[in-house]
Amino acid sequence: MRSETAQLIKLEDYKETPYVIENVSLVFKLQPEATEVISTLTLFRREGTETGAPLELDGDDLTLVSVAIDGAALAEEAYEASPEKLVVQTPPADTFKLEVVTRVNPTTNTKLEGLYLSQGIYCTQCEAEGFRRITYYYDRPDVLSVFTTRIEADKVTNPILLGNGNPQDAGDIEGTDRHFAVWHDPHPKPAYLFALVAGDLACTSEKYTTASGKPVDLNIYVEKGNEDRTDWSMDSLIRSMRWDEKVFGREYDLEVFNIVAVSAFNMGAMENKGLNIFNDKYILADSDTATDMDYEGIETVVAHEYFHNWTGNRITCREWFQLCLKEGLTVFRDQEFSSDERSRPVKRIADVIRLKSRQFPEDQGPLSHPVRPTEYKEINNFYTATVYDKGAELVRMIKTILGADGFRKGMDLYFERHDGDASTIEDFLKCFEDANQQDLSHFSLWYHQSGTPFVKANGSYDEAAKTYTLDLEQNTAATPGQDEKKPFFIPIRFGLVGPNGDDLAYTSVEGAHVDGDLLHLTEDKQTVVFHGIGSKPVPSLLREFSAPVKLESTLSREDQIFLMRHDIDPFNRWQATQTLMTELLIELTNGEEPAGKDAFIEALGHMAEDKNLDHAFRGFGLMLPSEQAIALEIGKDVDTDAIGDARDAFSKEIGKALYDTFKRIYDAMEMPATFSPDALSAGKRALKLRCLSYLGAAQTEESAVLTKAHFDNADNMTDRMGALTVLVIWQLAGAQDALKAFEARHKDTALAMDKWLSIAARAPSEDAIAAIRTLTEHPAFSWDNPNRIYALIGGFLGGNTRGFHAADGSGYDYLAEITLQLDKTNPQVASRMAKSFGTWKNMNAERRVKAEAALKRILAADQQLSTDVKEIVELCLD
Ligand code: PHE
Ligand code: ZN
C-alpha cells in the first residue's frame, strides 16, 4: 500500500466488525487486462451494533463498477467509494445482500498481491491483505465466511480452472469460446485464504485415503513441461498427510487437495484452503536442477503448507498480531516432521543455524520485535524470522517444559476447543495450562518481550563437599520500545559430563527447579548447587538448544574440545565446535594468535573421520561460522574486511593442516550408483563437498584439478553447484570455464540459473557493484521475478559480506538505489531487500556514516515510498 500517512495499527484497538458476512458468492470473468469480479455478500448486523450503522469495507487500488443492495442499485448519495474503501452509509435492514462489481487488471499487477498473471497463469495471493485488491471486503482474519466461487475464462488459454474447496459444477458458456467452473468451500474461512487459478497447466495426480477411510484426490499443477519434476513434492505431500494423522491426529477435510506452482511469487508458498499456491522453487525438483537442500526445502514447505490446514485454516488468527499463532506453530510442526523423516540431531543443527543467522541479527538490531508484536505499520513487514523461527522455538519450549504427553494433551485441547475460531496466543497457551494444570504466565513473557537473552554460566567444583555449583545469570539488552527487561523463564537442558564422557548423577539439588536433565532458570541470577558429584564435571548446557538464548560460557578451550569429543548430546558436540571456531576467528580478526588453535584443528580432524557420527553431522561440524555470524558475535565497530581476511586465512590453514585427512575422506566416500535425495546420500555428498571446500581453500594445484573434475563429472546439481562454488570462491583454475559450462547447460532452466546468479554474486571482486550491475544485464536475470532478485541481489547482500559492507559505502549506495527502484513495482520485495540495512549499527564508524547516509537518501528520494519500505528504513534510522 502506498500512503503518505501510514498509520500505526495497534493490538489494543482491536474491535469486532459491526456486521457479519455469512456467505460470499464470487464470480470472476477473467480477462488479462480487465477482469470483472461480482461479489455477493450475505450480511447481517451483529448483536450490539446499532441499527443502520455504516458498513465500511476495505479496498486497495479498486475500480468500482456498480453496487446494489437486495437487487436494487444504490443511489449515489447512499454510498461512498474510493479505490481504498466502500462505505454504505445506512444499510437498510438487519440482513441484506450486498452486490458489488469491481474491475481489476491482472496484467499490470506487479506487486503480486491480489489477482495477477504469472507466465500466462492467473493466480491470486491474498495473505495478508491482498483480497481487498480483488473486491471490497472485511479483509481481516476474524471475518470467517463460506465461499462459493465461479470462474469464467477462455477455454483455450485457460483449460484449468481452480478454486477453494470442492468442485461443484463446470461447463461451457454457450455461444462463446469460454467455459466456467464453480467451487464451493464448506469450511468458513477468512478472505486471506481465498484463492483461484486459471491457466493451461500440466497436472500430476495421486489418490490418498485418510486414516478414517475418506478418499482425497491429490493434484499438483505446474507450467507445461515441468510435469516430470513433481515426484518429490507429491511424495512429500503424502508423507506429510500421514504424519499429521499419526503425530497430531489431524485428518484432511476436503475431497481434493490441489497445489499449483507459479514462477512469480513473493514468498515461499501459501496455504489457501484446498488450493495451496507455491513458488515453483518449492515444488519442482529433479537431480539435474535441484540440490539436496532444495529437496529438503521442498519437503519442508510442502509439509508446512499442508499442516496449515489445521494450524492456520481450521483455527486461524483473530488479527495479524497473532501471526505467530499459525506460523510459529506450523514451523514447529514442519520441523518435527523433517526430524522424524530424517536425522533429528542434524535437523536440529540446521534449524539452529537458521535461527542464529536470521533471527538473532533481527533481534539484536533496530528491527527487533516481540514474537507477538503490539503494533505495526505494514503487516507484510512482519513475516519475519522472529515470528516464524523464534515463534517455533517458543512452541518447542512448551513441549520441553510439559513433556511430550503434556504437549500433545494441550494440542488436542486446542484443536477441540478452537476448531472454527479466530484465536489468540492467550487462547493457545490456556489450552496447555488447562490440559496440564500448569501456570504458564511467566513463560508467556517470551511472546511479548523482544530481544535475545544472554545467559552466562560459571561453574565450580568442591572436591571435599562433592558439590558442583553453577552460577547462572541472564540479561537481555534493551530493544526498540522496551528499555526494561524482566527475566525470562528459560528451560535449560543440561548434563554434568564426567571424565569418561558419561553424565554424572546428582543426589540432590538446590537453587533452582531441576527435573532430571532440565533446569528452570527463572531469575536474573541463580546459584544452583548439585550434591553428590563424585568428580569434577564439564557442564554441557542448553543441550538440544533448549531455549533461543545466547549462552556465554566460561569453559576453557580444553573443556570445549572435551565436549566436542565426548558430549552425549550431539547438538552440543556441534555447538562446542562452533563456539571454539567463533572464539578463534574473533581473535584472528583482531590480529591475535589464538591459544589452543592447533589442538582445535587436530580435534576437528578427528571429528571429520569419526565413523560413529552421521555424515551430515560431520559436514555441519566442519562448517565455519559465516562472516555475518562472526560480525554479530563481535557486535560493534565491525570491520567486515578484517573478518573476511581472518576467515579466509583460517579456512586455508585448516585446509592445509588437514589436507590429507580431507583427501582421504573425499577419496574413500562410497556413493550410490544412481542419485537419490535421501538423507544418508545427501549427508555423504555434504561431507564430501565440505572436504572439497577445505581442499580448495588450500589452493593447491591438485585441489584445483580435483574440484574441476568434481564439477565436470557431477551427475547431479548438488555436486555441480558445490564444486562450482569452491572454484569461484577460491578463484581456482577452471572457475571461469565452469561458470560458462554451467550456463550453457542450464540456460533454459530459470531455477538452475538462480544458483548460477547467486554464486556469481558472491565471487570475490575488486568492484563488486560493477560485477552485480553486469549480472543484472544477463538474460537469466529479471527485475520482474522475485526469485531472480532473491538469487542475485539477495545472494549479494547475504553472501558477499565484503562487497555489501565495502568500506567505501558502494554496497549501501547500491542497496538504496535498488530499494527505490524496486519499490515502484514490488514494495514487498523492495522492503525485504532493504532489511539488509538492519545490521548497520554494528559496523565501524566509517561504514556507519555511509549506511546512514544511504538510508536517509531513501527517505529523501523524490518518489512516494510504500509503507513497506518506509517503515523498515525509519526503524533502521530510529
Ligand atoms: N502464510 C505463508 C506461509 O507461511 C507465507 C505467506 C505470507 C505467503 C504472505 C504469501 C504471503 O506458509
Ligand atoms: Zn506458514
Side-chain angles (χ1 to χ4, degrees), residues 127 269 271 304-305 308 311 326-328 330-331 334 383 388:
E127 188 177 4
E271 69 264 24
H304 179 97
E305 304 312 327
H308 266 315
T311 49
K326 74 178 178 82
E327 296 304 347
T330 305
V331 170
D334 81 53
Y383 288 78
Y388 275 67

Side-chain angles (χ1 to χ4, degrees), residues 13-299:
D13 293 340
Y14 173 79
K15 272 198 224 74
E16 282 186 326
T17 57
Y19 293 87
V20 176
I21 307 177
E22 261 201 308
N23 252 290
V24 187
S25 156
L26 297 166
V27 179
F28 285 81
K29 304 193 167 179
L30 293 174
Q31 297 285 1
E33 278 160 25
T35 289
E36 219 170 75
V37 184
I38 304 157
S39 149
T40 309
L41 309 180
T42 311
L43 292 133
F44 68 81
R45 183 166 59 84
R46 191 190 294 278
E47 237 187 81
T49 301
E50 55 184 276
T51 318
L55 170 72
E56 287 189 40
L57 300 178
D58 308 303
D60 179 9
D61 218 2
L62 287 177
T63 305
L64 179 69
V65 177
S66 65
V67 49
I69 286 189
D70 292 332
L74 280 194
E76 257 183 48
E77 58 289 358
Y79 70 94
E80 223 179 276
S82 73
E84 277 79 45
K85 223 169 205 33
L86 174 65
V87 184
V88 178
Q89 315 291 12
T90 321
D94 285 350
T95 304
F96 58 99
K97 264 194 188 357
L98 178 74
E99 189 181 288
V100 180
V101 182
T102 50
R103 196 178 310 117
V104 297
N105 186 339
T107 302
T108 55
N109 185 352
T110 57
K111 293 184 180 177
L112 314 184
E113 287 179 277
L115 176 67
Y116 64 93
L117 274 161
S118 163
Q119 300 292 114
I121 301 163
Y122 290 95
C123 67
T124 55
Q125 174 49 47
C126 293
E127 188 177 4
E129 297 179 337
F131 192 73
R132 63 184 66 182
R133 292 167 56 75
I134 294 173
T135 183
Y136 295 101
Y137 199 76
Y138 276 140
D139 190 8
R140 39 188 282 174
D142 64 337
V143 173
L144 276 64
S145 192
V146 173
F147 283 68
T148 307
T149 309
R150 177 183 162 102
I151 308 164
E152 301 181 7
D154 182 84
K155 249 195 290 194
V156 177
T157 51
N158 306 286
I160 305 287
L161 306 175
L162 305 171
N164 304 103
N166 297 318
Q168 203 175 49
D169 194 9
D172 288 344
I173 304 177
E174 261 171 61
T176 71
D177 39 22
R178 292 169 71 81
H179 67 156
F180 74 94
V182 179
W183 290 78
H184 177 74
D185 180 2
H187 301 282
K189 65 166 176 292
Y192 83 85
L193 292 173
F194 169 83
L196 78 73
V197 169
D200 190 4
L201 296 156
C203 176
T204 12
S205 305
E206 286 290 339
K207 297 259 180 234
Y208 183 86
T209 307
T210 69
S212 72
K214 295 197 203 88
V216 184
D217 289 329
L218 310 179
N219 303 303
I220 299 182
Y221 292 91
V222 295
E223 280 170 28
K224 281 203 168 145
N226 285 334
E227 53 272 34
D228 51 358
R229 295 206 273 160
T230 58
D231 288 356
W232 180 251
S233 34
M234 182 63 90
D235 184 63
S236 302
L237 173 61
I238 293 170
R239 286 185 284 119
S240 310
M241 294 176 85
R242 267 310 156 233
W243 185 88
D244 213 14
E245 291 171 349
K246 201 176 82 197
V247 178
F248 281 93
R250 300 294 113 198
E251 266 190 35
Y252 188 60
D253 54 8
L254 288 165
E255 293 155 30
V256 288
F257 187 77
N258 287 325
I259 288 179
V260 180
V262 296
S263 61
F265 201 78
N266 286 340
M267 305 282 272
M270 180 63 212
E271 69 264 24
N272 319 296
K273 185 79 188 191
L275 177 54
N276 290 359
I277 298 181
F278 274 64
N279 184 324
D280 61 3
K281 172 178 164 49
Y282 290 110
I283 289 295
L284 303 178
D286 59 28
S287 60
D288 197 46
T289 58
T291 62
D292 291 320
M293 260 166 65
D294 293 327
Y295 277 93
E296 244 185 275
I298 289 169
E299 181 178 273

Side-chain angles (χ1 to χ4, degrees), residues 135 142 171 179 227 305 402 449 493 550 601 641 662 696 700 788 859 872:
T135 183
D142 64 337
H179 67 156
E227 53 272 34
E305 304 312 327
L402 298 179
Q449 190 167 273
R493 223 183 258 299
K550 190 172 164 311
I601 293 177
D641 290 328
F662 292 137
T700 64
R788 305 301 92 81
L859 284 188
I872 296 300

Side-chain angles (χ1 to χ4, degrees), residues 329-342:
L329 177 55
T330 305
V331 170
F332 170 76
R333 276 152 52 70
D334 81 53
Q335 290 177 346
E336 283 300 286
F337 166 69
S338 298
S339 302
D340 285 348
E341 299 286 300
R342 293 160 181 265

